[in-house]
Amino acid sequence: MTPDTILDRRTRTGADDLDVAVRALTGLAARAEEQLASLPEPVERAPEQQERAARVKLAVRQARHTFLRRHVDAVYDDLTEGGAIRLRLHELVRAAEVRFPGVLPSADQMAAELNRIQAHKEGLEIDQGLFLREVLGSVSAGTHLMDSMLQPTERALRLLPDFQRTGSITLHSVRLERTGPAAELTLCRDDCLNAEDNQQVEDVETAVDLALLDPAVRVGVFRGGPMSHPRYAGRRVFSAGINLKRLHAGQISFIDFLMRREMGYINKLVRGIVVPHDASWRSPAIEKPWLAGVDTFAIGGGAQLLLVFDRVVAGTDAFFSLPAAQEGIVPGASNFRLARAIGSRGSRQIVLWGRKVWANEPDGGLLFDEVVDPVELDSALRNGIDRLDNTAVVTNRRMLNLAEEPPDTFRAYMAEFALQQALRLYSEDVLGKVGKFAAGAVAE
């Protein structure tokens, strides 16, 4: 019996019952889990065992796809009690695993994945991508989830009183300091050129929340700190993008890194944060202008960040690069935002062809608002803070962002991104490239 036959049986009998569909899917997923568990570890499977595992996973994914296409709104409504509670991405996925067994891989399956390097995993994050594609693809469920991800994290709320009192906080990979009207967020993973991993996403979102929550802060500033890496010792570096060594080791999470990064702190840079009980009738969000200072380079995820700032100042020796074709994964929401900055042809040259854009070349002016001698970067940033510290700036950036990036359009992009990025993570070409990058080079 095929997955569609199982799930369609209720239609033929006229029983459009969510519980019936859940039980059918649960049984199918349980049998699939048993069949995968009976096989050797993924890396140890013979070719015929690999084919068998692929057939099992394909069958259950087809069933999940069919189920979610019909019931995603009912599932989301159940998990959020009709929208009364707000679940972040990891909470939503965990709740779905428990409440609707079979809709997602089990907790035991996901725990086993954590002990495998990327190339040796089952690829069960693809099922998470399938789930989020359908949730985000729903106008009602997707909008609710996007809004939920704009709320401040519990960690930030817990740290806020100390930050307001002292004006500074140092986390594992980020330092936040308030000076006058500005809060400067410094990326300080000096050992890896600010290459991002799960911890850095957690730390940066916490710092962005703090800057937005503190009423004494009126402008936010992003910058990379001085490096200890031998190649750039003593020099500031903005960001080298995703940490490919961590990705190779299976330590870059689809939910807590790739999805959270876009829907969490980057989206908060664009739209601000929503504090439900303190929301003003003027606007549900607390928004502030953001300025970036780019030293040396902004590669990959670092380049993606530059596309959301209100002003970007760079040293004359800096460059912008999105090595998506080399790495094989989707460069976040850059495919959504980049053409607005540099045009359709330029965005294809950068994303598909690997073109670098230097700050001091003609097209640099499309990505960098101001290019100065590196020794003058501090002064240029102070001037930028003075200019952005203006209540009219807040209102006008809100309207610019609304015109350029309507929330519903961004939600639709993220729906497709969820599945396509998950598929890319487990594509043979990506696994091969990541292993080579991790073996011989600094993360890019």
Side-chain angles (χ1 to χ4, degrees), residues 102-323:
V103 170
L104 286 161
S106 71
D108 288 343
Q109 284 180 295
M110 297 309 300
E113 290 281 78
L114 292 176
N115 298 318
R116 299 167 177 146
I117 68 171
Q118 192 72 13
H120 296 172
K121 294 186 179 188
E122 292 280 12
L124 301 181
E125 288 176 314
I126 294 172
D127 298 84
Q128 294 177 336
L130 176 61
F131 173 73
L132 289 179
R133 197 263 296 269
E134 299 306 323
V135 171
L136 289 167
S138 162
V139 174
S140 58
T143 299
H144 188 273
L145 177 58
M146 295 293 291
D147 290 346
S148 298
M149 288 299 292
L150 289 178
Q151 295 193 83
T153 64
E154 291 184 6
R155 185 188 187 201
L157 293 172
R158 187 172 66 250
L159 295 174
L160 180 61
D162 282 345
F163 177 70
Q164 288 182 291
R165 179 174 54 83
T166 64
S168 68
I169 189 167
T170 300
L171 305 174
H172 176 69
S173 53
V174 172
R175 184 172 63 255
L176 185 69
E177 295 179 291
R178 186 180 64 232
T179 304
E184 181 167 323
L185 188 160
T186 304
L187 305 173
C188 53
R189 285 297 305 277
D190 62 295
D191 58 321
C192 62
L193 305 182
N194 287 327
E196 286 187 286
D197 56 16
N198 293 359
Q199 183 63 55
Q200 185 152 326
V201 169
E202 164 75 19
D203 290 345
V204 173
E205 183 166 8
T206 300
V208 168
D209 283 353
L210 290 172
L212 289 168
L213 286 166
D214 185 354
V217 174
R218 298 191 295 274
V219 180
V221 181
F222 254 74
R223 199 172 182 189
M227 297 292 105
S228 62
H229 188 280
R231 192 182 304 175
Y232 298 94
R235 294 178 59 186
R236 284 181 180 261
V237 166
F238 188 74
S239 174
I242 190 170
N243 191 317
L244 293 177
K245 291 184 179 180
R246 293 291 179 91
L247 178 57
H248 170 70
Q251 296 171 356
I252 294 294
S253 167
F254 171 71
I255 295 293
D256 292 325
F257 181 97
L258 292 164
M259 293 301 297
R260 175 182 178 178
R261 182 176 182 273
E262 302 299 329
M263 295 174 61
Y265 84 80
I266 296 181
N267 203 26
K268 288 174 176 178
L269 293 174
V270 177
R271 305 182 203 285
I273 56 170
V274 176
V275 184
H277 301 300
D278 297 331
S280 164
W281 61 269
R282 295 175 182 271
S283 172
I286 301 171
E287 301 177 53
K288 296 174 183 178
W290 289 89
L291 176 71
V294 182
D295 298 271
T296 313
F297 53 69
I299 297 174
Q304 296 166 28
L305 274 176
L306 300 190
L307 301 175
V308 302
F309 292 115
D310 299 295
R311 188 168 182 81
V312 178
V313 182
T316 51
D317 60 344
F319 69 85
F320 174 107
S321 173
L322 282 170

Side-chain angles (χ1 to χ4, degrees), residues 358-375:
W358 292 87
N360 59 2
E361 69 173 272
D363 279 352
L366 300 174
L367 297 168
F368 305 99
D369 297 290
E370 185 177 0
V371 179
V372 299
D373 188 289
V375 300

